[in-house]
Amino acid sequence: MSTTLLLLGILYFVQGIPYGLQSSLLPVYLRTVGLSFTKISLTKALYFPWTLKVVWAPFVDQYGTKQRWLLISMCGLAMCCLLCASLSPESDFQLVAAVFLFMNFFASVQDVAVDGLAVRILRYEEVGYGNTVQVVGYKIGSVLAGGGLLTVMDLLGWTFIFFLLTGIYLVAIIYASSEFGNTSVNQPCGGKKPSRTLNPMTIVKDFIAVPATTWTVIFVLIYKLGEQGAISMFPLFLLDHSFSAQELGFWNGMVAMGFSIIGSSLGGILMSKYRALPLIKILFFLRLGSLFFQTIVVFMFDPNFLIWKSAAVLSISLQHFLGGLITTVTFSIMMHCTQKADEKIQLQQR
């Protein structure tokens, strides 16, 4: 693996940590220490900074360097983990919630910065592999911070786990700082210093002017519709039809995530060999077939027959495998589109 891909893998890995903490570890831990479902449900509001990412994304894109923003955001995430280590959710729920709110803010800033950096440091032929690293790195960080740390929570405890996460961020900061100076940035043509603007109308106008943007936006808005329905609702159907929560946790959590990572990895390999649009057409036909197969399972499912349980597990695995494949190819299409943009839209200064 090249140093560029390794750097991006580490950056996306640490970016996935906050999501894993909040989506998997935090709700379960809060419930085990006796907090009400009402309080636990309120933690969903802590994702709010991601909704506002569009507000500060132009500022991050146009002022300072992506490297500087990445170091600032990771330092902020390290400080948040250090603060969490000194707090107790049982007695300091509001303070812990505030820290997680800031954690989501710093993670959203990091998301803007690392995506912008990836656009500029990846060569055209590296985009497929780069997006594989992005998807797989983020998923591994999320899984390890969520389910992974949750399994050892009783052994290590809340405080030690967040000290450990602080150390991980510090290692990532040190490594990234040493590599930023050795990373070459692709310089856009023209040689002119790009103009800066925070005017929303100007930004939208420039954005729409990029070739293939309209098609890409429509595609990105709809490509996950079938996947989300299949992946989110099918496990609930199985839960109501004799599958236990433990079985779903294993098959729909660990095994399915494994297939998703395999699919994402294969997507990068295929992108290096084939054009994106013909490839995505084939994948959508496969997705249509997998959805048809899942529909048959739903209508024919009988918990008394092992063959239908096996078919349900196969359907889950197929959906996550194809989901990982399509996500990597889609992200590659988005990055190719972004690389066609004017310099002032991509990245302002190194």
Side-chain angles (χ1 to χ4, degrees):
M1 179 184 290
S2 69
T3 55
T4 297
L5 294 179
L6 179 60
L7 173 62
L8 289 177
I10 290 174
L11 291 174
Y12 282 115
F13 170 80
V14 296
Q15 185 185 322
I17 289 175
Y19 179 78
L21 287 174
Q22 192 167 329
S23 63
S24 300
L25 184 142
L26 188 63
V28 176
Y29 181 80
L30 292 179
R31 187 57 184 166
T32 59
V33 297
L35 268 69
S36 66
F37 285 111
T38 302
K39 280 190 174 182
I40 295 173
S41 65
L42 290 176
T43 61
K44 294 296 182 182
L46 302 179
Y47 288 116
F48 188 61
W50 286 93
T51 306
L52 298 178
K53 187 178 74 168
V54 67
V55 175
W56 47 75
F59 187 84
V60 173
D61 272 339
Q62 299 185 47
Y63 293 89
T65 66
K66 293 297 186 290
Q67 292 91 327
R68 188 175 299 134
W69 282 112
L70 281 169
L71 293 178
I72 291 172
S73 60
M74 286 193 291
C75 286
L77 288 166
M79 287 298 300
C80 287
C81 290
L82 192 60
L83 285 172
C84 275
S86 65
L87 299 172
S88 172
E90 300 95 312
S91 56
D92 305 311
F93 175 75
Q94 292 181 339
L95 288 176
V96 170
V99 172
F100 268 86
L101 187 68
F102 278 101
M103 188 179 291
N104 279 300
F105 166 72
F106 286 119
S108 69
V109 171
Q110 183 189 5
D111 181 58
V112 176
V114 71
D115 285 349
L117 181 67
V119 168
R120 294 294 297 276
I121 67 176
L122 288 173
R123 297 189 301 273
Y124 188 88
E125 63 273 14
E126 291 180 319
V127 167
Y129 291 115
N131 282 284
T132 296
V133 168
Q134 174 187 6
V135 176
V136 173
Y138 187 90
K139 287 179 179 179
I140 292 176
S142 176
V143 170
L144 292 182
L149 291 181
L150 187 61
T151 59
V152 296
M153 175 66 78
D154 291 337
L155 178 64
L156 301 180
W158 174 275
T159 299
F160 183 84
I161 279 178
F162 278 94
F163 275 131
L164 177 63
L165 291 174
T166 302
I168 291 174
Y169 275 112
L170 290 177
V171 171
I173 290 168
I174 294 170
Y175 177 78
S177 300
S178 65
E179 287 297 320
F180 282 155
N182 302 322
T183 303
S184 60
V185 176
N186 302 322
Q187 297 297 334
C189 301
K192 295 181 180 179
K193 184 176 180 179
S195 59
R196 292 171 171 171
T197 179
L198 296 179
N199 186 314
M201 295 304 297
T202 302
I203 293 172
V204 171
K205 182 180 177 181
D206 291 339
F207 175 72
I208 294 176
V210 177
T213 290
T214 303
W215 177 90
T216 303
V217 169
I218 295 172
F219 170 67
V220 169
L221 289 175
I222 65 174
Y223 89 101
K224 271 188 173 289
L225 290 179
E227 175 185 329
Q228 287 302 314
I231 290 178
S232 300
M233 300 307 296
F234 189 60
L236 300 181
F237 166 81
L238 296 178
L239 189 62
D240 291 337
H241 292 78
S242 81
F243 269 72
S244 67
Q246 291 77 14
E247 287 176 316
L248 283 177
F250 177 73
W251 292 112
N252 194 51
M254 298 176 62
V255 174
M257 183 57 69
F259 275 98
S260 178
I261 290 174
I262 292 172
S264 297
S265 302
L266 180 59
I269 296 172
L270 293 176
M271 277 298 299
S272 68
K273 299 179 181 296
Y274 304 102
R275 293 176 56 196
L277 291 182
L279 183 59
I280 203 71
K281 291 178 183 178
I282 295 173
L283 293 178
F284 276 143
F285 276 113
L286 293 175
R287 161 61 57 78
L288 185 63
S290 69
L291 289 173
F292 180 71
F293 173 66
Q294 190 173 92
T295 303
I296 294 176
V297 173
V298 169
F299 281 101
M300 302 292 292
F301 187 78
D302 187 339
N304 296 316
F305 290 91
L306 180 61
I307 188 173
W308 287 114
K309 283 194 171 185
S310 301
V313 170
L314 177 60
S315 178
I316 290 174
S317 302
L318 279 174
Q319 294 297 345
H320 281 82
F321 173 75
L322 290 172
L325 246 173
I326 292 173
T327 297
T328 297
V329 175
T330 299
F331 283 10
S332 298
I333 292 172
M334 292 167 60
M335 189 168 290
H336 284 317
C337 179
T338 304
Q339 289 177 332
K340 298 175 185 177
D342 186 79
E343 181 180 3
K344 65 183 178 181
I345 300 175
Q346 287 185 26
L347 178 63
Q348 297 303 316
Q349 295 178 359
R350 185 178 177 185

